[in-house]
Amino acid sequence: MMKTHENNTSTPGERAQALFQVLKQKELIPDGYIEQLTQLMAHDWSPENGARVVAKAWVDPQFRELLLRDGTAACAQFGYTGPQGEYIVALEDTATLKNVIVCSLCSCTNWPVLGLPPEWYKGFEFRARLVREGRTVLRELGTELPNAVTVKVWDTSAETRYLVLPVRPVGSEAMDEEALRALITKDVLIGVALPHVA
Amino acid sequence: MDGFHDLGGFQGFGKVPHTINSLSYKQVFKQDWEHLAYSLMFIGADHLKKFSVDEVRHAVERLDVRQHVGTQYYERYVIATATLLVETGVITQAELDQALGSHFKLANPAHAEGRPAITGRPPFEVGDRVVVRDEYVAGHIRMPAYVRGKEGVVLHRTSEKWPFPDAIGHGDVSAAHQPTYHVEFAVKDLWGDAADEGFVVVDLFESYLDKAAGPRAVTP
């Protein structure tokens, strides 16, 4: 029976399903559309993609040069472009510079290369605080930076989608490309973590 | 729109609920309905072509503030998509209410009709000092308030152009296409000593910027 009161007694899931049902009844949802997109979002777009890009840049100077000059072309070599990853810029860390990515206005992320953004990246705390107190936020998350390292926060406020190209860590000299990939986590690609050799 | 969504620099929040390299992201969708948020958004934006992703962002910004604060991330995109589908006449509020069995609260109506881009100006160059135009826009805009009126240095001009958000975000499909600029600001220029040292780079559409008075920066 239809309730007439204004109170929001429904759950988020019930509202999502209600919108889905209305569209389905009108036959506006193509067969397989949601399943295909969900496969991309939940599985194909993954930080393992970004790890491949970074590991190749660490071992192949020509690819590194391309990645820094034309990130879109470099990621396209792997097929890692698409929705929310159409104009890609790689941010080069150095011994004195740490890049970190945020979207203070919503949640913009390089989906094909980093995967969909995690909850904390979309949360009010990270969006509000990172731009203003980057060093403090990194410390709280577990990344302590020497004073000589400058923090540069990139606010994803238009169509550019970023990934961080971190400094190849000490101790990784003998590692091959496949072994290097394991050092490059989602948080390393966002820029809140540094890669470490275990 | 000077709304709650414009969070950059907003004080009073606690710690980011995360520890580096925890694997909580591995279950991408935590609840069985969350995949519907972006899926239904793309049905409206990409398949039915009834609205742009910019309009979705604006619809999220139009959520009533108390509702915005209390909602989960994906929930806001369900509400925004439902709002735009009602506003574009694809579905009705009554149909949503019927399917839900109670009132489906949508976002508030827009406060403004949007505005056109500034065209006909020469582009800015890497190394230019620019100032973010000191203007207040009631509709959609991709300029976080913390850089309004502030001066920075251009690090990059994009090689592609995109529709001006303040127009396309209100459904104006004739919106002029513009490049954006990666503009670097010193954090101390934004919040003085009430901040950590460092830099923030904001990706700003050409129409948000003017050339700053004074000499060109030596080192971009």
Side-chain angles (χ1 to χ4, degrees):
Chain A
M1 211 175 99
M2 178 110 179
K3 297 170 209 155
T4 50
H5 57 73
E6 280 275 316
N7 291 337
N8 239 330
T9 51
S10 56
T11 65
E14 286 166 353
R15 291 195 286 281
Q17 295 293 351
L19 177 58
F20 171 76
Q21 287 304 332
V22 171
L23 290 170
K24 193 169 170 61
Q25 277 161 20
K26 290 178 178 280
E27 298 183 353
L28 295 174
I29 299 178
D31 282 344
Y33 190 97
I34 290 176
E35 291 76 7
Q36 204 177 354
L37 190 54
T38 301
Q39 169 68 28
L40 283 170
M41 294 189 292
H43 301 287
D44 299 0
W45 295 334
S46 151
E48 289 169 27
N49 300 349
R52 283 175 190 273
V53 174
V54 167
K56 186 172 172 65
W58 278 349
V59 300
D60 179 345
Q62 243 182 326
F63 182 78
R64 180 190 185 89
E65 189 275 328
L66 174 66
L67 178 63
L68 292 171
R69 179 169 46 82
D70 186 346
T72 318
C75 291
Q77 284 188 3
F78 290 89
Y80 302 153
T81 56
Q84 297 296 312
E86 286 149 323
Y87 190 92
I88 296 173
V89 168
L91 307 171
E92 184 182 26
D93 282 358
T94 69
T96 56
L97 179 68
K98 181 77 207 87
N99 295 289
V100 195
I101 305 165
V102 67
C103 172
S104 72
L105 294 168
C106 39
S107 63
C108 298
T109 307
N110 188 346
W111 288 354
V113 177
L114 272 63
L116 291 195
E119 279 307 312
W120 60 269
Y121 178 96
K122 302 180 288 193
F124 298 153
E125 294 90 348
F126 191 68
R127 287 170 51 193
R129 292 184 60 204
L130 187 76
V131 288
R132 184 162 175 165
E133 37 178 347
R135 183 178 297 271
T136 304
V137 170
L138 290 186
R139 184 186 305 125
E140 288 173 3
L141 288 171
T143 298
E144 182 83 46
L145 296 171
N147 284 336
V149 176
T150 300
V151 175
K152 193 182 283 195
V153 174
W154 298 73
D155 197 345
T156 313
S157 51
E159 298 297 327
T160 309
R161 295 293 174 268
Y162 302 105
L163 75 150
V164 170
L165 174 59
V167 175
R168 183 170 170 170
V170 173
S172 69
E173 294 76 12
M175 296 172 81
D176 66 9
E177 201 174 323
E178 198 185 336
L180 288 171
R181 281 179 208 152
L183 309 181
I184 303 149
T185 64
K186 190 176 183 90
D187 288 358
V188 167
L189 295 164
I190 293 170
V192 294
L194 294 167
H196 290 292
V197 177
Chain B
M1 180 178 164
D2 290 322
F4 174 77
H5 69 283
D6 189 1
L7 282 166
F10 194 112
Q11 294 189 294
F13 289 107
K15 288 188 177 177
V16 177
H18 180 58
T19 303
I20 49 167
N21 296 330
S22 86
L23 298 179
S24 59
Y25 73 88
K26 285 217 165 183
Q27 191 187 343
V28 172
F29 297 115
K30 301 279 193 290
Q31 300 175 72
D32 61 5
W33 58 271
E34 290 183 341
H35 68 290
L36 290 174
Y38 285 157
S39 296
L40 299 178
M41 173 181 90
F42 277 116
I43 295 240
D46 191 49
H47 174 62
L48 299 174
K49 304 211 183 308
K50 288 291 177 182
F51 46 80
S52 62
V53 173
D54 300 79
E55 286 170 273
V56 177
R57 292 197 185 101
H58 186 222
V60 170
E61 293 162 13
R62 290 192 278 128
L63 260 67
D64 192 83
V65 174
R66 290 183 190 84
Q67 187 182 18
H68 193 141
V69 173
T71 43
Q72 302 169 29
Y73 175 83
Y74 283 124
E75 185 182 356
R76 296 196 285 275
Y77 287 77
V78 170
I79 296 167
T81 298
T83 300
L84 289 165
L85 288 169
V86 168
E87 289 176 351
T88 53
V90 176
I91 62 175
T92 66
Q93 172 87 60
E95 288 166 343
L96 281 173
D97 294 353
Q98 180 72 40
L100 185 60
S102 64
H103 179 62
F104 193 123
K105 183 173 167 56
L106 299 173
N108 288 323
H111 295 286
E113 293 180 348
R115 61 169 190 165
I118 303 168
T119 55
R121 297 190 299 174
F124 307 106
E125 303 296 336
V126 169
D128 279 352
R129 285 202 72 84
V130 290
V131 61
V132 182
R133 293 170 65 89
D134 187 13
E135 50 195 14
Y136 292 80
V137 174
H140 185 56
I141 182 168
R142 294 294 284 177
M143 179 215 68
Y146 66 80
V147 295
R148 180 187 285 134
K150 303 291 185 180
E151 214 177 291
V153 181
V154 172
L155 302 185
H156 175 79
R157 180 178 72 220
T158 60
S159 58
E160 287 188 38
K161 297 178 180 185
W162 296 277
F164 188 49
D166 308 29
I168 190 77
H170 292 260
D172 178 0
V173 293
S174 71
H177 286 51
Q178 295 206 314
T180 68
Y181 297 82
H182 299 172
V183 182
E184 181 183 82
F185 303 88
V187 174
K188 295 288 181 190
D189 288 345
L190 305 177
W191 293 288
D193 290 332
D196 290 353
E197 286 193 37
F199 295 91
V200 177
V201 183
V202 186
D203 192 5
L204 295 165
F205 273 81
E206 190 165 284
S207 285
Y208 302 156
L209 302 170
D210 282 326
K211 264 286 234 328
R216 189 179 139 93
V218 181
T219 319

